[in-house]
Amino acid sequence: MLNYKAPLRDMRFVMNEVLDYPAHYRQLGSGEEATPETVDAILDAAASYCEEVLAPLYVSGGEEGCHFDAGTVRTPAGFKDAYAQFVAGGWQGLSFPPEYGGQGLPMSLNLLKSEMMGTANWAFNMYPGLSIGCINTLLQYGSDAIKAQYLPRLVSGEWTGTMCLTEPQCGSDLAQVRTQAVPQADGTYALTGTKIFISSGEHDLTYNIVHIVLARLPDAPAGTRGISLFLVSKYRLNADGSLGQRNAVHCGSIEHKMGISASATAVLNFDGATGTLIGEPNKGLEAMFTFMNTARIGTAIQGVAHAEMSFQGALAYARERRSMRSLSGKKEPDQVADALVWHADVRRMLLTQKAVAEGGRAMIYAAAQLADQMFAAAWAGDQAAYERHDSALGFFTPILKGFLTEMGLEAASLGVQVLGGHGYIREHGMEQVLRDARIATLYEGTTGIQALDLLGRKVLLQTRGRCVRDFTRSMRALARPHWLASGALGRMARALTRRAVQWDLLTLRLMLKARRDKEQVGAAAYDYLMYCGYLMMAYHWLQMASVADAALRKGQGAGGQSSESEAFYQAKLETAQFYFERLLPRAEAHYRMALAPACTLLKTPHDHLAMV
């Protein structure tokens, strides 16, 4: 049975020793209250809630799933009480403005909380998680009246929110959205259409649910330029802000899914439902991207969460399960056989999981600092600063979402493999982690969609490679002090420098190829994204390794350090070395495949894929 333990030591290492969160918070207008003592208290309280309340519901909730009956949805046993504790703890309002009932702390603290919640119980985390993007969208684009009516109860967690994009005939291609919004005499709109795959679209955790919906006005132009954004509340609001009659939006069914069955994924039917326009007409997609980018970072956390949970379960099993003897001789002579953890191939799988979880955590936490700056600028009304930070974060987002979810899925699969046949059955919970991890590469845009966004939009069109050059400059700067170092740290620094040069060259070559053949972008996009992911994670692993190395050297002086701290830093160095020698070389294959001609995919003499 899985037993989640929040990795607070590693979280604090990345926050305080690698990324210097205390200094980062002091520079933020919203970070005055985020003192080290406050942050530690929040992390400890969140860890207790996740370990004691959410984690015990993970397996049982997955086995029971949600129940649908004539338009109503009942969540698994224990979820309502767990959500009540979530609301009572003020967890939803952690990083939102005090004027709406929030605590006004930096957005990154909410991401740290979400990582723990998601690792302990991702399906549960979906319910309050979708509300975050809803709140952010209303904060940036909602009118003063909308903010006053909806934000206090969304921020408190009394209500939850969703985003409604997908329809039966379209997924990521939002140009095909058909839901209609007809203006009414009172200034509202009547929305008619069907939305599918709506996470938390209907449930029993809160009385009211606020839907953020994409729809078309009657005179809207075709394509994505004709999409507007609307707020549709499950219950209409009276003039005084109290809940009124039920709106004409109903749950037609919930999906029977491969995983996260404790999270209700609804089909919502809008039958002339009353809605309110958010932002300007026909500019809904721009506003929706606020929601989507928030959700994509949240989904990237899922990759880290499943890698961490699977690693914890696999490591515990590998330490206890005994099979055969180590090839180098008995490691536990008093036992009938050696533990699995002594076998090289098992260690390969465990270290892969560990490297993905810890490397991904550093990537997320670094991006979270950008998110802090972006949202602080937005709430302060500094549009120039907002756009600058949003652009920087925009480069990271598809890499985080695409690469980390793919690696999280691999780590979850390895967790099953470590347990062998026991991993394939429900008793240990590892197969549930794998099933739950599968959706992460699909929703909020598949890996292919993220790859096209990265290479086609962010690298080629918007910045002409500048975003890559900016990051590779940081890679070389990080590696430069260690070029001449002996041992593993020097080897890693020199390897990172070579990869930085290669990344610039790859980007340039793809830009030139795309000028001659536009199909090259689609043909190279996936491999380019994975290549970027491996190099970006390598950057963060060298960052962590250099800090760990310095801590070990310092500990050798007067006073020394505890054996526990020494073991932690030594393990960090060894995991970094494993990443550079066993995982980073995969980037070479992606480099070569990204440069392969598009004709190997699209221009064959006899197109057997298209033949009937």
Side-chain angles (χ1 to χ4, degrees):
M1 183 65 71
L2 293 171
N3 183 28
Y4 172 65
K5 185 69 176 175
L8 292 176
R9 178 66 181 91
D10 195 64
M11 294 172 70
R12 288 179 169 128
F13 168 73
V14 177
M15 291 176 63
N16 300 328
E17 300 178 60
V18 178
L19 299 175
D20 198 359
Y21 262 60
H24 165 70
Y25 285 152
R26 287 194 297 270
Q27 295 170 359
L28 288 176
S30 60
E32 295 177 357
E33 301 299 324
T35 63
E37 296 77 17
T38 298
V39 171
D40 279 344
I42 289 171
L43 292 178
D44 288 338
S48 296
Y49 172 68
C50 292
E51 292 169 0
E52 299 167 12
V53 179
L54 297 187
L57 298 175
Y58 177 62
V59 172
S60 63
E63 290 178 346
E64 180 183 351
C66 291
H67 307 270
F68 177 79
D69 181 23
T72 64
V73 174
R74 177 166 54 86
T75 54
F79 272 45
K80 285 191 71 172
D81 179 65
Y83 187 79
Q85 293 185 53
F86 174 84
V87 174
W91 290 112
Q92 189 68 291
L94 194 65
S95 298
F96 292 114
E99 56 262 41
Y100 301 112
Q103 299 172 48
L105 293 168
M107 185 59 67
S108 55
L109 279 175
N110 190 66
L111 290 173
L112 300 175
K113 173 210 72 182
S114 295
E115 182 204 336
M116 287 188 275
M117 288 182 60
T119 309
N121 194 326
W122 187 265
F124 178 91
N125 191 51
M126 294 284 287
Y127 292 101
L130 269 295
S131 298
I132 295 171
C134 175
I135 295 168
N136 286 335
T137 302
L138 296 183
L139 279 170
Q140 189 165 355
Y141 294 99
S143 65
D144 290 341
I146 286 177
K147 292 177 182 178
Q149 287 180 316
Y150 291 93
L151 283 178
R153 284 178 279 194
L154 283 168
V155 168
S156 71
E158 180 184 349
W159 296 348
T160 58
T162 74
M163 61 176 178
C164 301
L165 288 74
T166 306
E167 299 182 4
Q169 77 285 350
C170 72
S172 299
D173 185 4
L174 296 176
Q176 299 185 49
V177 165
R178 295 176 185 169
T179 299
Q180 291 291 310
V182 179
Q184 304 297 293
D186 61 357
T188 64
Y189 295 80
L191 274 73
T192 302
T194 297
K195 298 289 185 177
I196 65 171
F197 301 160
I198 309 305
S199 298
S200 310
E202 180 62 34
H203 56 78
D204 61 351
L205 302 183
T206 61
Y207 190 68
N208 194 31
I209 303 172
V210 180
H211 305 292
I212 306 296
V213 188
L214 287 182
R216 293 185 181 280
L217 296 169
D219 58 349
T224 56
R225 292 179 298 172
I227 296 176
S228 300
L229 194 64
F230 300 86
L231 183 154
V232 178
S233 183
K234 178 179 176 179
Y235 284 90
R236 298 180 61 180
L237 269 58
N238 296 319
D240 62 359
S242 62
L243 291 179
Q245 65 184 23
R246 177 69 186 264
N247 209 342
V249 52
H250 300 281
C251 180
S253 64
I254 58 174
E255 305 294 348
H256 302 282
K257 301 171 298 194
M258 177 180 177
I260 56 170
S261 56
S263 170
T265 305
V267 174
L268 293 182
N269 296 315
F270 296 81
D271 301 311
T274 299
T276 305
L277 180 68
I278 300 174
E280 299 181 38
N282 303 326
K283 293 187 177 180
L285 204 57
E286 177 184 342
M288 179 58 82
F289 268 110
T290 299
F291 203 144
M292 291 173 67
N293 283 330
T294 304
R296 284 172 178 172
I297 295 174
T299 306
I301 292 175
Q302 186 172 356
V304 174
H306 290 316
E308 176 67 39
M309 189 71 262
S310 188
F311 171 62
Q312 290 192 18
L315 180 61
Y317 184 87
R319 284 173 172 171
E320 296 176 0
R321 178 77 170 186
R322 290 176 170 78
S323 180
M324 302 180 290
R325 291 296 185 184
S326 168
L327 294 180
S328 59
K330 295 180 180 180
K331 296 298 186 291
E332 298 175 285
D334 296 337
Q335 300 292 337
V336 65
D338 290 330
L340 290 177
V341 76
W342 294 110
H343 299 303
D345 190 58
V346 173
R347 297 180 73 86
R348 172 189 63 82
M349 294 186 282
L350 292 171
L351 283 168
T352 298
Q353 293 177 299
K354 187 175 190 289
V356 170
E358 295 178 7
R361 179 172 296 117
M363 293 169 71
I364 290 287
Y365 288 13
Q369 291 182 321
L370 281 174
D372 279 342
Q373 295 165 332
M374 183 183 74
F375 283 110
W379 296 343
D382 188 343
Q383 187 63 26
Y386 169 81
E387 291 178 359
R388 185 171 64 254
H389 296 308
D390 180 59
S391 177
L393 187 61
F395 170 60
F396 290 104
T397 299
I399 299 174
L400 294 175
K401 197 282 179 185
F403 177 73
L404 290 182
T405 57
E406 291 285 349
M407 296 304 291
L409 178 61
E410 178 183 342
S413 180
L414 289 174
V416 172
Q417 191 75 8
V418 170
L419 271 68
H422 290 282
Y424 198 67
I425 60 177
R426 292 187 177 183
E427 177 184 357
H428 295 278
M430 301 301 283
E431 57 83 33
Q432 183 178 338
V433 178
L434 177 57
R435 287 188 289 106
D436 288 356
R438 190 63 188 88
I439 185 61
T441 66
L442 304 177
Y443 57 17
E444 312 310 333
T446 63
T447 305
I449 294 295
Q450 303 301 323
L452 284 171
D453 178 50
L454 173 65
L455 180 57
R457 182 180 295 128
K458 304 293 174 53
V459 174
L460 299 185
L461 290 179
Q462 292 183 352
T463 70
R464 297 185 181 275
R466 187 189 68 253
C467 56
V468 174
R469 293 191 297 273
D470 289 344
F471 193 80
T472 55
R473 190 179 302 115
S474 298
M475 292 170 67
R476 290 190 291 271
L478 173 67
R480 190 173 297 117
H482 309 291
W483 280 348
L484 302 180
S486 60
L489 193 62
R491 291 194 297 273
M492 288 187 284
R494 293 186 287 274
L496 191 70
T497 301
R498 290 193 296 271
R499 291 294 181 183
V501 174
Q502 187 186 54
W503 193 353
D504 285 336
L505 178 62
L506 173 61
T507 304
L508 177 61
R509 292 181 68 179
L510 288 177
M511 290 174 66
L512 296 175
K513 282 176 171 286
R515 290 179 183 178
R516 298 191 297 269
D517 182 2
K518 294 185 184 302
E519 292 288 2
Q520 185 68 40
V521 177
Y526 167 78
D527 289 297
Y528 185 78
L529 180 144
M530 295 300 292
Y531 176 89
C532 295
Y534 281 114
L535 268 62
M536 189 172 285
M537 185 173 280
Y539 168 85
H540 288 287
W541 266 115
L542 180 60
Q543 199 175 31
M544 291 188 287
S546 63
V547 172
D549 181 73
L552 285 170
R553 293 178 185 276
K554 183 178 180 181
Q556 293 170 358
Q561 58 187 228
S562 69
S563 58
E564 182 179 349
S565 292
E566 183 178 354
F568 175 85
Y569 292 126
Q570 191 62 46
K572 191 64 68 174
L573 272 174
E574 291 170 359
T575 309
Q577 186 174 0
F578 169 86
Y579 182 83
F580 270 80
E581 294 184 359
R582 296 276 180 169
L583 296 182
L584 182 58
R586 297 180 182 183
E588 188 65 29
H590 289 293
Y591 174 83
R592 294 177 180 274
M593 289 186 285
L595 291 173
C599 64
T600 58
L601 296 176
L602 297 165
K603 297 178 180 177
T604 56
H606 303 286
D607 193 345
H608 58 279
L609 296 180
M611 291 175 63
V612 178

